Amino acid sequence: MNLRQIELLRAVMRCETTVRAAQELGLSQPAVSNAIKHLEGQIGFPLFERVNNRLFPTAEARAIYQDSDPIFQMHAALEARVQDLKENRAGHVRLIATPPLGYSVIPRALGSFLAKRPKMRVFFDVRRFENVIDSVENGVAELGFVMGLNENRALNAEVFFSERMVCVMRPDHPLAEKNTIYPSDLRSVPFIALERGSRMGTIVRQAFTEAGEPFNFAVEVRYCNTACVLAENGVGVAVVDPLSPLFSGHYNLAIRAFEPAVQVSASVVSSRKRPLSRAAEAFLREVRVVVGEVAGKLA
């Protein structure tokens, strides 16, 4: 099995049909279909179950997909490096962040950073926590910004923001009249929960346990930004990080303190194997300036 065959397999698994995989790879559908059949014959076991013109990967195919992830992450990092060398960029930085930071602090800092450096090239992506950590470890990104980081000995990490989570709702919601919201206040209103198993979802659930209140919800979402959108539209009340509602100016939300206090921190991570570039260090300075302004507002 060579890299091209693995790439074809991964494309078909993502797209679920050979037609869409062919479009993604710039090949013909018969070429992709024949390549998969040839691969199955070569390795001696099926990779897909075919049902109603859709392909469902077998357990063996899923195992190959998962085990091949590091190879393609390294390949992406190498391609990015080659492109940088080809274009002979005087200055560039690659950034990645989880949504609470990718849609709040980082865009504000990026605006200031680029205003002073109009020729700088920035590559920026917003992904899940695990993707951010993997991207920094594999060199795809130079700096990663995450919420709720536990100790990670493989990376350098610096906490640059720490504050309590807040409760958000429409300004005309009955709970908006209160200065502080407790789990008992949420017993009889639709509650928007953060995803079970996520870092912030877990600590919010622990707060309810600490208060001796049952954790019931009307809607469960993955990201705080999604919770803010739903709260603004009257779906319910949510407990989120303080940055998501504060930076998104289009949200029409009341922001209230939440007790018991649920502390959440933001960290920047970088590789222990590679020193930071001057561009990355300069961007971090901009982030610290923005965070200092946020701390003043929250105070």
Side-chain angles (χ1 to χ4, degrees):
M1 178 181 287
N2 57 43
L3 284 176
R4 182 56 173 170
Q5 289 173 317
I6 299 174
E7 183 182 24
L8 281 165
L9 169 63
R10 290 168 63 89
V12 174
M13 289 180 66
R14 283 195 306 271
C15 299
E16 297 183 342
T17 69
T18 54
V19 173
R20 289 204 297 268
Q23 292 171 346
E24 179 179 300
L25 296 170
L27 300 173
S28 68
Q29 186 276 333
V32 173
S33 183
N34 290 335
I36 293 298
K37 289 178 182 178
H38 176 74
L39 178 57
E40 289 177 323
Q42 179 181 326
I43 61 180
F45 54 81
L47 294 168
F48 295 94
E49 295 177 2
R50 294 159 175 83
V51 180
N52 296 329
N53 294 323
R54 293 184 65 183
L55 299 178
F56 295 89
T58 62
E60 292 81 2
R62 289 194 295 271
I64 293 171
Y65 189 100
Q66 183 176 356
D67 291 345
S68 65
D69 263 345
I71 299 172
F72 284 86
Q73 288 172 354
M74 291 177 63
H75 182 252
L78 179 60
E79 279 194 325
R81 179 59 177 155
V82 170
Q83 191 66 24
D84 291 342
L85 292 171
K86 176 182 177 181
E87 297 185 13
N88 193 27
R89 294 172 182 150
H92 66 275
V93 62
R94 295 182 179 274
L95 313 171
I96 189 168
T98 54
L101 296 168
Y103 298 134
S104 60
V105 170
I106 304 307
R108 181 74 60 84
L110 199 51
S112 300
F113 178 74
L114 291 175
K116 301 169 186 174
R117 303 166 182 85
K119 294 185 179 180
M120 182 67 66
R121 297 284 189 94
V122 176
F123 303 86
F124 176 45
D125 196 7
V126 178
R127 303 289 295 276
R128 294 196 70 173
F129 181 95
E130 295 79 7
N131 300 123
V132 173
I133 298 300
D134 288 345
S135 294
V136 176
E137 285 182 340
N138 295 317
V140 175
E142 187 171 6
L143 294 176
F145 298 86
V146 297
M147 301 288 283
L149 175 71
N150 297 325
E151 183 180 1
N152 187 315
R153 296 183 180 180
L155 298 173
N156 292 317
E158 174 195 336
V159 175
F160 62 86
F161 174 83
S162 184
E163 191 52 74
R164 296 179 175 186
M165 295 183 76
V166 297
C167 194
V168 295
M169 68 219 71
R170 286 176 59 90
D172 57 0
H173 194 282
L175 289 182
E177 297 178 3
K178 298 171 64 72
N179 292 324
T180 303
I181 308 299
Y182 298 87
S184 57
D185 296 320
L186 303 173
R187 190 184 304 163
S188 58
V189 299
F191 182 60
I192 304 165
L194 299 178
E195 185 179 48
R196 178 183 295 276
S198 66
R199 284 157 176 76
M200 284 188 280
T202 298
I203 60 177
V204 172
R205 283 169 170 79
Q206 290 172 346
F208 276 74
T209 301
E210 180 183 331
E213 287 290 327
F215 188 84
N216 299 316
F217 61 86
V219 183
E220 185 179 73
V221 300
R222 178 173 294 176
Y223 300 127
C224 290
N225 308 77
T226 310
C228 288
V229 171
L230 296 184
E232 182 185 33
N233 283 276
V235 173
V237 178
V239 176
V240 299
D241 72 273
L243 298 176
S244 293
L246 189 63
F247 274 83
S248 298
H250 64 278
Y251 291 149
N252 182 25
L253 292 170
I255 305 173
R256 300 292 181 262
F258 178 74
E259 292 284 350
V262 179
Q263 202 78 10
V264 64
S265 60
S267 301
V268 56
V269 294
S270 60
S271 174
R272 293 183 183 274
K273 302 175 184 177
R274 296 174 288 275
L276 287 183
S277 65
R278 292 174 62 188
E281 290 176 346
F283 182 73
L284 268 180
R285 288 194 292 271
E286 296 292 348
V287 170
R288 295 186 185 106
V289 169
V290 172
V291 168
E293 296 171 353
V294 173
K297 292 180 181 179
L298 292 173

